[in-house]
C-alpha cells in the first residue's frame, strides 16, 4: 500500500523534529510511506524509511518568482513526490487545471512524481456530474504530456466534500469512481496508474476502506499528524 501523509500547515520546528525522529521506526517494509511536511521543514525530513513529498511547487522554472519554490530546489532537497491540485490550493489560491498542468510539467522535468488530486464537490455529486467533472479536469491537468510522462503520475481521488469533514463516501462509491478514473486513463493512453483515496480517513474507517478492490493507497491529512494514531494504521 502507498500511504501519503499530508501535514498541511501544521507543526512548529520543534514538533516537526520530534515527529521525524519517531516516525521512522513506525514504518514497516510492506508499506511505501510518503511524508509531505510543510515546505519549510523539508530539510528536516531526510530519513531513510520514507520518501519525501512536497505539498506544492511553482509552475515556473528557477528565477524571479518571489515566494515560490522550484522543482529544481525540491529535487536538491531529495523530494521524490509532490502534491498538485489539492482542493485547498484550488480553492484558496485559485489554482486552475491549466496551472496544475504547468506544475506537473515542471515536476516531471526534474523527475519528481506528481500526486494529482482530483475530486468533485458535494453539489457536483448531487447533480450527477462527478464523472464529467473528473474527465474534464484530468484532460486539462494532463494536457500535452506523453504517454511515458503520464506513467509517472499518481492520482488521488479526494472528493472535496470528504476532506476534513468526517464524511466518507461508501466503498461502492469510491470503487466506482476509482474504476472510472482508471478506465478513462486506460482508454485515453493505455496506461494503468495508481489511484489513491483521500478524505477523512481515520483508524476506524481505514480497515473498511482497505477492502476496496481497486484502491492502491491512501492520502491522509488530519490523522497523520498524530504518531500514535498513524502507528495503529501502519501496523
Ligand atoms: P483529511 O485530509 O484526511 O484531514 O480529510 C485529506 C487531505 O486533505 O488530503
Amino acid at each position: 500500500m502507498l500511504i501519503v501523509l499530508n501535514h498541511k500547515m501544521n507543526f512548529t520546528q520543534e514538533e516537526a523534529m520530534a515527529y521525524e525522529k519517531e516516525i521512522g521506526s513506525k514504518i514497516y517494509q510492506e508499506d511505501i510511506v510518503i511524508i509531505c511536511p510543510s515546505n519549510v521543514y523539508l530539510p528536516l525530513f531526510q530519513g531513510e524509511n520514507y520518501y519525501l513529498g512536497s505539498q506544492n511547487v511553482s509552475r515556473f522554472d528557477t528565477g524571479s518568482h518571489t515566494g515560490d519554490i522550484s522543482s529544481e530546489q525540491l529535487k536538491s532537497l531529495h523530494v521524490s513526490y509532490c502534491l498538485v491540485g489539492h482542493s485547498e490550493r484550488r480553492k484558496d489560491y485559485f489554482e486552475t487545471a491549466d496551472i496544475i498542468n504547468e506544475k506537473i510539467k515542471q515536476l516531471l522535468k526534474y523527475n519528481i512524481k506528481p500526486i494529482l488530486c482530483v475530486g468533485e464537490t458535494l453539489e457536483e455529486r448531487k447533480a450527477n456530474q462527478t464523472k464529467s467533472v473528473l474527465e474534464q479536469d484530468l484532460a486539462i491537468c494532463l494536457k500535452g504530456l506523453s504517454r511515458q510522462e503520464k506513467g509517472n503520475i499518481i492520482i488521488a481521488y479526494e472528493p472535496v466534500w470528504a476532506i476534513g469533514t468526517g464524511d466518507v463516501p461508501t466503498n461502492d462509491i469510491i470503487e466506482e469512481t476509482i474504476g472510472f478514473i482508471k478506465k478513462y486513463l486506460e482508454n485515453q493512453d493505455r496506461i494503468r496508474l495508481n489511484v489513491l483515496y483521500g478524505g477523512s480517513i481515520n483508524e476506524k474507517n481505514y480497515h473498511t476502506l482497505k477492502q476496496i478492490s481497486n484502491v492502491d493507497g491512501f492520502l491522509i491529512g488530519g490523522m497523520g499528524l498524530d504518531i500514535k494514531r498513524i502507528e495503529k494504521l501502519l501496523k
Side-chain angles (χ1 to χ4, degrees):
M1 276 280 158
L2 233 149
I3 308 232
V4 184
L5 303 176
N6 176 12
H7 286 181
K8 309 195 180 186
M9 196 171 67
N10 288 290
F11 294 150
T12 61
Q13 178 173 211
E14 232 168 52
E15 289 164 346
M17 284 166 86
Y19 184 102
E20 201 284 328
K21 210 167 150 203
E22 224 188 321
I23 191 77
S25 62
K26 314 290 184 202
I27 297 168
Y28 300 87
Q29 269 176 350
E30 310 86 77
D31 292 320
I32 295 174
V33 176
I34 302 165
I35 302 180
C36 305
S38 176
N39 272 0
V40 283
Y41 303 138
L42 286 172
L44 303 178
F45 282 78
Q46 302 286 323
E48 284 174 1
N49 291 3
Y50 55 83
Y51 291 91
L52 188 55
S54 172
Q55 295 177 20
N56 188 28
V57 67
S58 174
R59 66 184 160 125
F60 301 112
D61 226 326
T62 305
S64 303
H65 303 286
T66 303
D68 261 6
I69 303 174
S70 70
S71 292
E72 188 179 22
Q73 289 174 319
L74 293 179
K75 196 70 195 169
S76 74
L77 291 167
H78 313 292
V79 166
S80 313
Y81 295 86
C82 181
L83 299 176
V84 279
H86 193 284
S87 67
E88 287 156 12
R89 293 216 55 93
R90 293 189 197 235
K91 179 171 157 275
D92 297 343
Y93 299 93
F94 313 105
E95 284 187 10
T96 61
D98 282 302
I99 292 175
I100 295 162
N101 176 254
E102 290 181 61
K103 291 186 173 199
I104 291 175
K105 286 178 179 161
Q106 280 296 327
L107 291 167
L108 291 172
K109 199 164 142 189
Y110 290 91
N111 282 326
I112 298 173
K113 285 187 195 306
I115 303 173
L116 170 61
C117 305
V118 296
E120 79 286 1
T121 62
L122 192 57
E123 293 69 40
E124 287 162 349
R125 175 151 291 276
K126 282 182 178 160
N128 216 6
Q129 293 169 342
T130 301
K131 290 178 181 166
S132 60
V133 165
L134 292 175
E135 214 171 78
Q136 275 171 35
D137 194 44
L138 284 167
I140 302 173
C141 290
L142 303 178
K143 190 177 53 183
L145 299 176
S146 69
R147 195 172 157 248
Q148 200 190 351
E149 285 174 319
K150 285 182 193 169
N152 284 312
I153 296 173
I154 295 170
I155 308 287
Y157 170 53
E158 295 208 304
V160 178
W161 51 277
I163 297 174
T165 58
D167 292 335
V168 178
T170 61
N171 277 13
D172 284 349
I173 289 183
I174 298 173
E175 191 162 321
E176 192 199 341
T177 315
I178 289 181
F180 172 79
I181 293 170
K182 287 191 173 185
K183 196 153 208 104
Y184 169 81
L185 295 164
E186 262 171 45
N187 288 345
Q188 291 288 309
D189 297 283
R190 287 170 291 116
I191 47 168
R192 210 195 161 282
L193 297 190
N194 282 330
V195 181
L196 318 178
Y197 167 76
S200 292
I201 296 169
N202 60 39
E203 54 278 64
K204 289 199 191 97
N205 60 29
Y206 180 66
H207 298 284
T208 309
L209 291 168
K210 259 184 109 170
Q211 288 163 15
I212 298 169
S213 65
N214 56 5
V215 73
D216 299 299
F218 297 98
L219 173 45
I220 298 170
M223 183 175 65
L225 298 172
D226 184 335
I227 298 220
K228 286 206 169 56
R229 292 180 70 196
I230 204 74
E231 188 182 358
K232 286 186 200 150
L233 183 148
L234 293 172
K235 268 183 190 155

